[in-house]
Amino acid sequence: MSGERVIKLKTPLIPQAIADLHVGDTVLLSGIIHTARDAAHKRMLEALETGAMLPFPLRGEIIYYAGPSPAPPGRPIGSIGPTTSYRMDRFAPRLIEAGLRGMIGKGERSLEVAEACQRFGAVYLAAAGGAAALLARSVTSAGVVAYEDLGTEAVRRLEIEDMPLIVALDIHGGDIYRQGRERYRR
Amino acid sequence: MRLLHVDDISLTIAELCYRAAVCLPEDMRHALKIAEDAEESPVGKSVLRSLLENADIALAEGLPICQDTGMAVVFADIGVEVLLEGGTLEQAVNRGIARGYKEGRLRKSVVAHPLERHNTGDNTPAVLHLRQIEGDRLRLAVAPKGFGSENMTRLFMLNPTAGEEAVVEAAVHAVDEAGANPCPPVVVGIGLGGTAELALEISKRALLRPLATPAASVAAGNLEKRILERINDLGIGPAGLGGRITALAVHLEEYPTHIAGLPMAVSISCHALRHAEAVL
Ligand code: SF4
């Protein structure tokens, strides 16, 4: 998957790097990210509200909305594509406020998430939904760091190299899902 | 009568789970290739190329095409002359699912209770649709359904006099609202008629029809074509990033219905339209 401009990006995300991203840019992302989806988000929000420990510090972090299939022997991970992001819309603004700077997933986000991205300087990156075996190739190591009882929904720390993504929401008010649809609608 | 041991059924179901999850059917692969040629959006084109590459990697490495290996929907057509030995069909199917998902390293995505939400750990239970047919064979189809697309299912109880136009509008509306969520390019299954629950079942079964095979009637075929054109004018495109190819096909199946109603169900499948079949 590739868009108009190709940008190599490293975690943790710094403000200048985020400001430079525009909707439609291809990002090849390397570094450390964490997976979390529905059930993990619910627990993280509870932790935030009660002041309990989070599974990882949020500052500058990127969350990948994903739950992998089991890893074959000798491999860090099984297939790992994005899950649908809108289900995390009810949690994302609060996490962004607390320091989260990037989200990886698929599909449109709410107005509140887009506004939080602009206000606090965060970015939403789209991965190709269903390209899960391909995306697994970018993962060089993986391990569960929290909520192990959730199975595939546990929080995992992933080391990734050149994961191909497209900027879907930038801090300048761009939204690839809206703009893309407008461009090709008849 | 023909005796069939349930262990044979379990083993077949386990194999079908793995095959469905890892091996993208040839008709889908072909449709994606045609779509790649036809897509005008450069990003859309590159998404389609990635999906084809993904299917190759999955097959070569024995990995699931998509990490969401779904809740297992099983269609079983059982011959009247088949006598089961060793248990019920439902037990046999669930044992097969548990084995297939464990040994195939497929993701376990099923929770035991819709509100308490503890994972059952083996992806059981399956959703089983049973039909009786003539003869002494058992026909099995495993169609794992991911919930990115399942969540986009819609049921419309249309006015009986609403006519074709309302059917087209409802179908287009459902896909428009779904947007990028069901991982386009999608295949759209439409169940028209029956009762509410039958329309839904028919819409699921419609997804199993091989791509590029004609509808049951010329009228249904024409309606499919009209709906497909309208959907591909929406601009959603591959992965929802904008483009011409939002749906690869529309499959519409009909059933008699009541004088006072026109039930219509829309089931959407992602491009990972997985199903595997066997006859025992
Ligand atoms: S909608 Fe289909 S391709 Fe997309 S994540 Fe779900 S199962 Fe995978």
Coordinates of all heavy atoms in Angstrom, one line a residue, chain A residues 1-4 24 37 66-73 75 77-84 86-87 106-108 126 128-137 150 152 166 176-177 180-181 183-186, chain B residues 39-43 46-47 50-51 53-54 57-58 61 63-68 105-109 119 148 151-152 176-183 232-236 239-244 271:
Chain A
M1 N 0.8 -1.2 0.0 CA 0.0 0.0 0.0 C 0.9 1.2 0.0 O 1.8 1.4 0.8 CB -0.9 0.0 1.3 CG -1.9 1.1 1.3 SD -3.1 0.8 2.6 CE -2.2 1.3 4.1
S2 N 0.7 2.1 -0.9 CA 1.5 3.4 -0.9 C 0.7 4.5 -1.4 O -0.1 4.4 -2.3 CB 2.8 3.2 -1.7 OG 2.5 3.0 -3.0
G3 N 1.0 5.7 -0.8 CA 0.3 6.9 -1.2 C 1.2 7.9 -1.9 O 2.2 7.4 -2.6
E4 N 0.9 9.2 -1.8 CA 1.6 10.1 -2.6 C 3.1 10.4 -2.2 O 4.0 10.4 -3.0 CB 0.8 11.4 -2.6 CG -0.4 11.3 -3.5 CD -1.7 11.9 -2.8 OE1 -1.6 12.9 -2.1 OE2 -2.8 11.3 -3.1
G24 N -2.9 11.1 3.2 CA -2.4 10.5 1.9 C -1.0 10.1 1.9 O -0.6 9.3 1.1
R37 N -7.2 -3.4 22.0 CA -8.5 -3.2 21.3 C -9.6 -3.1 22.3 O -9.3 -2.6 23.4 CB -8.7 -4.3 20.2 CG -8.2 -5.7 20.6 CD -8.6 -6.7 19.5 NE -10.0 -6.8 19.5 CZ -10.7 -7.2 18.4 NH1 -10.0 -7.5 17.3 NH2 -12.0 -7.2 18.4
A66 N -5.4 -4.0 17.2 CA -5.2 -5.3 16.6 C -5.2 -6.4 17.6 O -4.7 -6.2 18.7 CB -3.9 -5.3 15.8
G67 N -5.6 -7.5 17.2 CA -5.5 -8.7 18.0 C -5.0 -9.8 17.1 O -5.7 -10.3 16.2
P68 N -3.8 -10.3 17.3 CA -3.2 -11.2 16.3 C -3.7 -12.6 16.4 O -4.3 -13.0 17.4 CB -1.7 -11.2 16.7 CG -1.7 -10.9 18.2 CD -2.9 -10.0 18.4
S69 N -3.4 -13.4 15.3 CA -3.7 -14.8 15.4 C -2.4 -15.4 16.1 O -1.4 -14.8 16.1 CB -3.9 -15.4 14.0 OG -2.8 -15.3 13.2
P70 N -2.5 -16.6 16.6 CA -1.3 -17.2 17.4 C -0.1 -17.3 16.5 O -0.2 -17.5 15.3 CB -1.8 -18.6 17.8 CG -3.3 -18.5 17.8 CD -3.7 -17.5 16.7
A71 N 1.1 -17.2 17.1 CA 2.3 -17.2 16.4 C 2.7 -18.6 16.1 O 2.7 -19.5 16.9 CB 3.4 -16.6 17.2
P72 N 3.1 -18.9 14.8 CA 3.7 -20.2 14.5 C 5.1 -20.4 15.2 O 5.7 -19.3 15.5 CB 3.9 -20.1 13.0 CG 3.2 -18.9 12.5 CD 3.1 -18.0 13.7
P73 N 5.5 -21.6 15.4 CA 6.8 -21.8 16.0 C 7.9 -21.0 15.3 O 8.0 -21.0 14.1 CB 7.1 -23.3 15.9 CG 5.8 -23.9 15.4 CD 4.9 -22.8 14.9
R75 N 8.3 -17.9 15.1 CA 7.9 -16.6 14.6 C 7.5 -15.7 15.7 O 6.9 -16.2 16.7 CB 6.7 -16.7 13.7 CG 6.9 -17.5 12.4 CD 7.7 -16.6 11.5 NE 7.6 -17.0 10.1 CZ 6.5 -16.7 9.3 NH1 5.6 -15.9 9.8 NH2 6.5 -17.2 8.1
I77 N 5.0 -13.6 15.7 CA 3.6 -13.3 15.8 C 2.9 -14.0 14.6 O 3.5 -14.3 13.6 CB 3.3 -11.8 15.7 CG1 2.0 -11.4 16.4 CG2 3.4 -11.2 14.3 CD1 2.0 -10.3 17.3
G78 N 1.6 -14.2 14.7 CA 0.8 -14.7 13.6 C 0.3 -13.5 12.7 O 1.0 -12.5 12.7
S79 N -0.8 -13.7 12.0 CA -1.3 -12.6 11.2 C -1.8 -11.5 12.1 O -2.3 -11.7 13.2 CB -2.5 -13.1 10.3 OG -2.0 -14.0 9.4
I80 N -1.5 -10.2 11.6 CA -1.9 -9.1 12.5 C -2.3 -7.9 11.6 O -1.4 -7.0 11.4 CB -0.8 -8.8 13.5 CG1 -1.2 -7.6 14.4 CG2 0.6 -8.6 12.9 CD1 -0.5 -7.6 15.7
G81 N -3.5 -7.8 11.3 CA -4.1 -6.6 10.6 C -4.8 -5.8 11.5 O -5.1 -6.2 12.7
P82 N -5.3 -4.6 11.1 CA -6.0 -3.7 12.0 C -7.5 -4.2 12.2 O -8.1 -4.8 11.3 CB -6.0 -2.4 11.2 CG -6.1 -2.9 9.7 CD -5.2 -4.1 9.7
T83 N -8.0 -3.8 13.3 CA -9.5 -4.0 13.6 C -10.1 -2.7 13.3 O -9.5 -1.6 13.2 CB -9.8 -4.6 15.0 OG1 -11.1 -5.0 15.0 CG2 -9.6 -3.6 16.0
T84 N -11.5 -2.7 13.3 CA -12.2 -1.5 13.0 C -12.1 -0.5 14.1 O -12.4 -0.8 15.3 CB -13.7 -1.8 12.7 OG1 -13.8 -2.9 11.8 CG2 -14.4 -0.6 12.1
Y86 N -13.6 2.5 14.9 CA -14.7 3.4 15.5 C -15.1 2.9 16.9 O -15.6 3.7 17.7 CB -15.9 3.5 14.5 CG -16.8 2.3 14.5 CD1 -17.8 2.1 15.5 CD2 -16.7 1.4 13.5 CE1 -18.6 1.0 15.4 CE2 -17.5 0.3 13.4 CZ -18.5 0.1 14.4 OH -19.3 -1.0 14.4
R87 N -14.9 1.6 17.1 CA -15.3 1.1 18.4 C -14.4 1.6 19.5 O -14.8 1.6 20.7 CB -15.2 -0.5 18.4 CG -16.2 -1.1 17.4 CD -16.3 -2.6 17.7 NE -14.9 -3.2 17.9 CZ -14.2 -3.7 16.9 NH1 -14.6 -3.8 15.7 NH2 -13.0 -4.2 17.2
K106 N -8.3 0.8 11.1 CA -9.0 0.9 9.8 C -10.4 1.6 10.0 O -11.1 1.3 11.0 CB -9.1 -0.4 9.1 CG -10.1 -1.4 9.8 CD -10.4 -2.6 9.0 CE -11.0 -3.7 9.7 NZ -12.5 -3.8 9.6
G107 N -10.7 2.4 9.1 CA -12.1 3.0 9.1 C -12.2 4.4 9.7 O -11.3 4.8 10.4
E108 N -13.3 5.0 9.4 CA -13.6 6.4 9.8 C -13.6 6.5 11.3 O -13.9 5.6 12.0 CB -15.0 6.8 9.3 CG -15.1 7.0 7.8 CD -15.6 5.8 7.0 OE1 -15.5 4.6 7.6 OE2 -16.1 5.9 5.9
A126 N -3.8 4.6 8.8 CA -4.6 3.5 8.4 C -3.7 2.4 7.9 O -2.7 2.6 7.2 CB -5.5 3.9 7.2
A128 N -3.9 -1.4 5.8 CA -4.9 -2.1 4.9 C -5.6 -3.2 5.6 O -4.9 -4.2 6.0 CB -4.1 -2.6 3.7
G129 N -6.9 -3.1 5.8 CA -7.7 -4.1 6.5 C -7.6 -5.4 5.8 O -7.9 -5.5 4.6
G130 N -7.3 -6.5 6.5 CA -7.3 -7.8 5.9 C -5.9 -8.2 5.3 O -5.8 -9.3 4.9
A131 N -5.0 -7.2 5.3 CA -3.7 -7.6 4.8 C -2.8 -8.1 5.9 O -1.7 -7.7 6.1 CB -3.0 -6.4 4.0
A132 N -3.3 -9.0 6.7 CA -2.8 -9.4 8.0 C -1.5 -10.2 7.9 O -0.6 -10.1 8.8 CB -3.8 -10.1 8.8
A133 N -1.4 -11.1 6.9 CA -0.2 -11.9 6.8 C 1.0 -11.0 6.3 O 2.1 -11.1 6.7 CB -0.4 -13.0 5.8
L134 N 0.6 -10.0 5.4 CA 1.6 -9.1 4.9 C 2.1 -8.2 6.0 O 3.3 -8.0 6.2 CB 0.9 -8.2 3.8 CG 1.8 -7.2 3.1 CD1 2.7 -7.8 2.1 CD2 0.8 -6.2 2.4
L135 N 1.2 -7.7 6.8 CA 1.6 -6.8 7.9 C 2.4 -7.5 9.0 O 3.3 -6.9 9.6 CB 0.3 -6.1 8.6 CG -0.3 -5.1 7.7 CD1 -1.8 -4.8 8.1 CD2 0.5 -3.7 7.8
A136 N 2.2 -8.8 9.1 CA 3.0 -9.6 10.1 C 4.5 -9.5 9.8 O 5.3 -9.6 10.7 CB 2.5 -11.0 10.2
R137 N 4.8 -9.3 8.5 CA 6.2 -9.3 8.1 C 7.0 -8.1 8.7 O 8.2 -8.1 8.8 CB 6.3 -9.2 6.6 CG 5.9 -10.5 5.9 CD 6.4 -10.5 4.5 NE 6.5 -11.9 4.1 CZ 6.8 -12.3 2.9 NH1 7.1 -11.4 2.0 NH2 6.8 -13.6 2.5
L150 N -6.9 -11.8 28.5 CA -7.8 -11.4 27.4 C -7.4 -12.1 26.1 O -8.1 -11.9 25.1 CB -7.7 -9.9 27.2 CG -8.3 -9.0 28.3 CD1 -8.1 -7.5 27.9 CD2 -9.8 -9.3 28.5
T152 N -6.2 -13.0 22.7 CA -5.8 -12.2 21.6 C -5.9 -10.7 21.9 O -5.2 -9.8 21.3 CB -6.6 -12.5 20.3 OG1 -6.0 -11.8 19.2 CG2 -8.0 -12.2 20.4
I166 N -0.9 4.5 6.0 CA -1.3 5.7 5.3 C -1.9 6.7 6.3 O -2.7 6.3 7.1 CB -2.2 5.4 4.1 CG1 -1.4 4.8 2.9 CG2 -2.9 6.7 3.6 CD1 -2.1 4.8 1.6
I176 N -8.7 11.2 5.4 CA -8.6 10.5 4.1 C -9.9 9.9 3.7 O -10.2 9.8 2.5 CB -7.4 9.5 4.1 CG1 -7.0 9.2 2.6 CG2 -7.8 8.2 4.8 CD1 -5.8 8.4 2.5
Y177 N -10.7 9.4 4.7 CA -11.9 8.6 4.3 C -12.9 9.6 3.7 O -13.6 9.2 2.7 CB -12.4 7.9 5.6 CG -11.5 6.8 6.0 CD1 -10.7 7.0 7.2 CD2 -11.4 5.6 5.3 CE1 -9.9 6.0 7.6 CE2 -10.6 4.6 5.8 CZ -9.8 4.8 6.9 OH -8.9 3.8 7.3
G180 N -11.2 11.0 0.3 CA -11.1 10.0 -0.8 C -12.4 9.7 -1.4 O -12.6 9.6 -2.6
R181 N -13.4 9.6 -0.5 CA -14.8 9.3 -1.0 C -15.3 10.4 -1.9 O -15.9 10.2 -2.9 CB -15.7 9.2 0.2 CG -16.8 8.2 0.0 CD -17.8 8.3 1.1 NE -17.5 7.4 2.2 CZ -18.5 6.7 2.8 NH1 -19.7 6.9 2.5 NH2 -18.2 5.9 3.7
R183 N -13.6 12.5 -3.7 CA -12.9 12.6 -4.9 C -13.4 11.6 -6.0 O -13.4 11.8 -7.1 CB -11.4 12.3 -4.7 CG -10.6 12.6 -6.0 CD -9.1 12.4 -5.8 NE -8.5 13.0 -4.6 CZ -7.3 12.8 -4.2 NH1 -6.5 11.9 -4.9 NH2 -6.8 13.3 -3.1
Y184 N -13.9 10.4 -5.5 CA -14.2 9.4 -6.4 C -15.7 9.1 -6.5 O -16.2 8.3 -7.3 CB -13.5 8.1 -6.1 CG -12.0 8.2 -6.4 CD1 -11.1 8.5 -5.4 CD2 -11.6 8.0 -7.7 CE1 -9.8 8.7 -5.7 CE2 -10.2 8.1 -8.0 CZ -9.3 8.5 -7.0 OH -8.0 8.6 -7.3
R185 N -16.5 9.9 -5.8 CA -18.0 9.7 -5.8 C -18.5 10.2 -7.1 O -18.0 11.2 -7.7 CB -18.6 10.5 -4.7 CG -20.1 10.3 -4.5 CD -20.6 11.2 -3.5 NE -20.3 10.9 -2.1 CZ -21.1 10.0 -1.4 NH1 -22.1 9.5 -1.9 NH2 -20.7 9.7 -0.1
R186 N -19.5 9.5 -7.7 CA -20.1 10.0 -8.9 C -21.6 10.3 -8.7 O -22.2 9.6 -8.0 CB -20.0 8.9 -10.0 CG -18.8 8.9 -10.8 CD -19.0 8.2 -12.1 NE -18.4 6.8 -12.0 CZ -17.5 6.4 -12.8 NH1 -17.0 7.1 -13.8 NH2 -17.1 5.1 -12.8
Chain B
E39 N -9.2 -0.3 -11.1 CA -9.2 0.8 -10.2 C -8.5 2.0 -10.7 O -7.3 1.9 -11.2 CB -8.6 0.3 -8.8 CG -8.6 1.3 -7.7 CD -10.0 2.0 -7.5 OE1 -10.8 1.2 -7.0 OE2 -10.1 3.2 -7.7
E40 N -9.1 3.2 -10.6 CA -8.5 4.4 -11.1 C -7.6 5.1 -10.0 O -6.6 5.7 -10.3 CB -9.5 5.4 -11.5 CG -10.3 5.0 -12.7 CD -11.5 5.9 -13.0 OE1 -11.5 7.0 -12.5 OE2 -12.4 5.4 -13.6
S41 N -8.0 4.9 -8.7 CA -7.2 5.6 -7.7 C -5.9 4.9 -7.4 O -5.9 3.6 -7.3 CB -8.1 5.5 -6.4 OG -7.2 5.3 -5.3
P42 N -4.8 5.6 -7.5 CA -3.5 5.0 -7.2 C -3.4 4.3 -5.9 O -2.8 3.2 -5.8 CB -2.5 6.2 -7.3 CG -3.2 7.3 -8.0 CD -4.7 7.1 -7.7
V43 N -3.9 4.9 -4.8 CA -3.9 4.3 -3.5 C -4.7 3.0 -3.5 O -4.3 2.0 -3.0 CB -4.4 5.3 -2.4 CG1 -4.3 4.6 -1.1 CG2 -3.5 6.5 -2.4
S46 N -2.9 0.3 -5.2 CA -1.9 -0.3 -4.4 C -2.4 -1.1 -3.2 O -1.8 -2.1 -2.8 CB -0.9 0.8 -3.9 OG -1.3 1.3 -2.7
V47 N -3.6 -0.8 -2.7 CA -4.2 -1.6 -1.7 C -4.6 -3.0 -2.3 O -4.3 -4.0 -1.7 CB -5.5 -0.9 -1.1 CG1 -6.3 -1.9 -0.3 CG2 -5.2 0.3 -0.3
S50 N -1.6 -5.1 -2.6 CA -1.3 -5.6 -1.2 C -2.1 -6.8 -0.8 O -1.6 -7.7 -0.2 CB -1.4 -4.5 -0.2 OG -0.6 -3.4 -0.4
L51 N -3.4 -6.7 -1.2 CA -4.3 -7.8 -0.8 C -4.0 -9.1 -1.5 O -4.0 -10.2 -1.0 CB -5.8 -7.4 -1.0 CG -6.3 -6.2 -0.2 CD1 -7.7 -5.9 -0.5 CD2 -6.1 -6.5 1.3
E53 N -1.0 -9.8 -2.7 CA 0.3 -10.2 -2.2 C 0.1 -10.9 -0.8 O 0.7 -11.9 -0.5 CB 1.2 -9.0 -2.0 CG 2.7 -9.3 -1.8 CD 3.5 -8.0 -1.4 OE1 3.0 -6.9 -1.7 OE2 4.6 -8.2 -0.8
N54 N -0.8 -10.3 -0.1 CA -1.2 -10.9 1.3 C -1.7 -12.3 1.1 O -1.3 -13.2 1.9 CB -2.2 -10.0 1.9 CG -2.6 -10.5 3.3 OD1 -1.8 -10.5 4.2 ND2 -3.8 -11.0 3.4
I57 N 1.2 -14.6 0.5 CA 2.0 -14.8 1.7 C 1.3 -15.8 2.6 O 1.9 -16.7 3.1 CB 2.3 -13.5 2.4 CG1 3.2 -12.6 1.5 CG2 3.0 -13.7 3.8 CD1 3.3 -11.2 2.1
A58 N 0.0 -15.6 2.8 CA -0.8 -16.4 3.7 C -0.7 -17.9 3.3 O -0.4 -18.8 4.1 CB -2.2 -15.9 3.7
E61 N 3.0 -19.3 3.7 CA 3.5 -19.5 5.0 C 2.5 -20.1 6.0 O 2.7 -20.3 7.2 CB 3.9 -18.1 5.6 CG 4.9 -17.4 4.7 CD 5.5 -16.1 5.2 OE1 5.1 -15.7 6.3 OE2 6.3 -15.5 4.5
L63 N -0.3 -19.0 7.0 CA -0.9 -18.0 8.0 C -2.3 -17.6 7.6 O -2.6 -17.7 6.4 CB 0.0 -16.7 8.0 CG 1.3 -16.7 8.7 CD1 2.0 -15.4 8.4 CD2 1.1 -16.9 10.2
P64 N -3.1 -17.3 8.5 CA -4.5 -16.8 8.1 C -4.4 -15.5 7.2 O -3.5 -14.7 7.5 CB -5.2 -16.5 9.4 CG -4.4 -17.1 10.5 CD -3.0 -17.3 10.0
I65 N -5.3 -15.5 6.2 CA -5.3 -14.3 5.4 C -5.6 -13.0 6.2 O -5.0 -12.0 6.0 CB -6.5 -14.4 4.4 CG1 -6.4 -15.7 3.6 CG2 -6.6 -13.2 3.5 CD1 -7.8 -16.1 3.0
C66 N -6.5 -13.2 7.1 CA -6.8 -12.1 8.1 C -6.7 -12.6 9.5 O -7.1 -13.8 9.7 CB -8.2 -11.5 7.8 SG -8.5 -10.1 8.9
Q67 N -6.3 -11.8 10.4 CA -6.1 -12.2 11.8 C -7.5 -12.5 12.4 O -7.6 -13.4 13.3 CB -5.4 -11.2 12.6 CG -6.2 -10.0 13.1 CD -6.5 -9.1 11.9 OE1 -5.9 -9.1 10.9 NE2 -7.6 -8.3 12.1
D68 N -8.5 -11.9 11.9 CA -9.9 -12.2 12.4 C -10.4 -13.4 11.7 O -10.9 -13.3 10.6 CB -10.8 -11.0 12.3 CG -12.2 -11.3 12.9 OD1 -12.4 -12.4 13.3 OD2 -13.1 -10.4 12.9
R105 N -3.8 -22.8 14.4 CA -3.3 -21.5 15.0 C -4.2 -20.3 14.4 O -3.7 -19.3 14.0 CB -1.9 -21.2 14.6 CG -0.9 -22.2 15.3 CD 0.5 -21.7 15.3 NE 1.3 -22.8 15.7 CZ 1.7 -23.8 14.9 NH1 1.4 -23.8 13.6 NH2 2.5 -24.8 15.4
L106 N -5.5 -20.5 14.5 CA -6.4 -19.5 14.1 C -6.9 -18.7 15.4 O -6.8 -19.3 16.5 CB -7.6 -20.1 13.4 CG -7.3 -21.1 12.3 CD1 -8.6 -21.6 11.6 CD2 -6.4 -20.5 11.3
R107 N -7.3 -17.5 15.2 CA -7.6 -16.7 16.4 C -8.9 -17.1 17.0 O -9.9 -17.4 16.3 CB -7.7 -15.2 16.0 CG -7.6 -14.3 17.2 CD -7.6 -12.8 16.7 NE -9.0 -12.4 16.5 CZ -9.4 -11.2 16.2 NH1 -8.4 -10.3 15.9 NH2 -10.6 -10.9 16.0
K108 N -8.9 -17.2 18.3 CA -10.1 -17.5 19.0 C -10.8 -16.2 19.4 O -10.4 -15.5 20.3 CB -9.8 -18.3 20.3 CG -9.3 -19.8 20.0 CD -7.9 -19.8 19.7 CE -7.3 -21.1 19.3 NZ -6.0 -21.0 18.7
S109 N -12.0 -16.0 18.8 CA -12.6 -14.7 18.9 C -14.0 -14.8 19.5 O -14.8 -13.8 19.5 CB -12.7 -14.0 17.5 OG -11.5 -14.1 16.8
N119 N -13.7 -15.2 26.9 CA -13.3 -15.9 25.7 C -13.5 -17.4 26.0 O -13.0 -17.9 27.0 CB -11.9 -15.6 25.3 CG -11.7 -16.0 23.8 OD1 -11.8 -17.1 23.4 ND2 -11.3 -15.0 23.0
G148 N -15.8 -7.2 11.6 CA -15.7 -5.9 10.9 C -16.8 -5.7 9.9 O -17.5 -4.7 9.8
N151 N -20.7 -6.6 11.7 CA -21.3 -5.5 12.4 C -22.1 -4.6 11.4 O -22.8 -3.7 11.9 CB -20.3 -4.7 13.2 CG -19.9 -5.3 14.5 OD1 -20.7 -6.1 15.0 ND2 -18.7 -5.0 15.0
M152 N -21.8 -4.7 10.1 CA -22.5 -3.8 9.2 C -23.7 -4.4 8.6 O -24.3 -3.9 7.6 CB -21.5 -3.5 8.0 CG -20.2 -2.8 8.5 SD -20.5 -1.2 9.3 CE -19.9 -1.4 10.9
D176 N -23.0 2.3 1.9 CA -22.6 3.7 2.1 C -22.3 3.9 3.6 O -21.2 4.4 4.0 CB -23.6 4.7 1.6 CG -23.1 6.1 1.5 OD1 -21.8 6.2 1.4 OD2 -23.9 7.0 1.4
E177 N -23.2 3.5 4.4 CA -23.0 3.7 5.9 C -21.9 2.9 6.4 O -21.2 3.3 7.3 CB -24.3 3.2 6.6 CG -25.2 4.3 7.0 CD -26.2 3.9 8.0 OE1 -26.3 2.6 8.3 OE2 -27.0 4.7 8.5
A178 N -21.7 1.7 5.8 CA -20.6 0.8 6.3 C -19.2 1.4 6.0 O -18.3 1.2 6.8 CB -20.7 -0.6 5.7
G179 N -19.1 2.1 4.9 CA -17.9 2.8 4.5 C -16.7 1.9 4.5 O -16.7 0.8 3.9
A180 N -15.6 2.3 5.2 CA -14.4 1.5 5.2 C -14.4 0.4 6.2 O -13.6 -0.5 6.2 CB -13.2 2.5 5.6
N181 N -15.4 0.3 7.1 CA -15.4 -0.7 8.2 C -15.4 -2.1 7.8 O -14.7 -2.9 8.4 CB -16.6 -0.4 9.1 CG -16.5 1.0 9.8 OD1 -15.4 1.5 10.0 ND2 -17.6 1.6 10.0
P182 N -16.1 -2.5 6.7 CA -16.1 -4.0 6.4 C -15.0 -4.3 5.4 O -15.0 -5.4 4.8 CB -17.5 -4.2 5.7 CG -17.8 -2.9 5.1 CD -17.1 -1.8 6.0
C183 N -13.9 -3.5 5.4 CA -12.7 -3.8 4.5 C -13.1 -4.0 3.1 O -13.0 -5.1 2.5 CB -12.0 -5.1 5.0 SG -11.1 -4.8 6.6
N232 N -20.6 1.1 -6.6 CA -19.3 1.5 -7.1 C -19.2 3.0 -7.5 O -18.2 3.5 -7.8 CB -18.8 0.6 -8.2 CG -18.4 -0.7 -7.6 OD1 -18.0 -0.8 -6.4 ND2 -18.4 -1.8 -8.4
D233 N -20.4 3.7 -7.5 CA -20.4 5.1 -7.6 C -20.2 5.9 -6.3 O -20.1 7.1 -6.3 CB -21.7 5.6 -8.3 CG -21.7 5.4 -9.8 OD1 -20.6 5.0 -10.3 OD2 -22.8 5.4 -10.4
L234 N -20.2 5.1 -5.2 CA -20.1 5.8 -3.9 C -18.7 6.4 -3.6 O -18.6 7.3 -2.8 CB -20.4 4.8 -2.8 CG -21.9 4.3 -2.7 CD1 -22.0 3.2 -1.6 CD2 -22.8 5.5 -2.3
G235 N -17.7 5.9 -4.3 CA -16.3 6.4 -4.1 C -15.6 5.9 -2.9 O -14.5 6.3 -2.7
I236 N -16.1 4.9 -2.2 CA -15.5 4.4 -1.0 C -14.1 3.8 -1.3 O -13.1 4.1 -0.7 CB -16.4 3.4 -0.2 CG1 -17.7 4.1 0.2 CG2 -15.7 2.8 0.9 CD1 -18.8 3.2 0.7
A239 N -10.1 -0.5 0.8 CA -9.8 -0.1 2.2 C -10.5 1.2 2.6 O -10.2 1.8 3.6 CB -8.3 0.1 2.4
G240 N -11.4 1.7 1.7 CA -12.2 2.9 2.1 C -11.4 4.2 1.9 O -11.8 5.3 2.3
L241 N -10.2 4.1 1.2 CA -9.4 5.3 1.0 C -9.7 6.1 -0.2 O -9.0 7.0 -0.6 CB -7.9 4.8 1.0 CG -7.4 4.0 2.2 CD1 -6.0 3.5 2.1 CD2 -7.5 4.9 3.5
G242 N -10.8 5.8 -0.8 CA -11.3 6.5 -2.0 C -10.9 5.7 -3.3 O -9.8 5.2 -3.5
G243 N -12.0 5.5 -4.1 CA -11.7 4.7 -5.4 C -13.0 4.3 -6.0 O -14.1 4.5 -5.5
R244 N -12.8 3.6 -7.1 CA -14.0 3.1 -7.9 C -14.5 1.8 -7.5 O -15.7 1.4 -7.7 CB -13.6 3.1 -9.4 CG -13.4 4.4 -10.0 CD -14.7 5.0 -10.5 NE -14.4 6.3 -11.1 CZ -14.8 7.4 -10.6 NH1 -15.6 7.4 -9.5 NH2 -14.5 8.6 -11.1
H271 N -13.3 -8.4 1.6 CA -12.6 -9.1 0.5 C -12.0 -10.4 1.0 O -11.7 -11.3 0.1 CB -11.4 -8.2 0.0 CG -10.5 -7.8 1.1 ND1 -9.5 -8.7 1.6 CD2 -10.3 -6.7 1.8 CE1 -8.9 -8.1 2.6 NE2 -9.3 -6.9 2.7

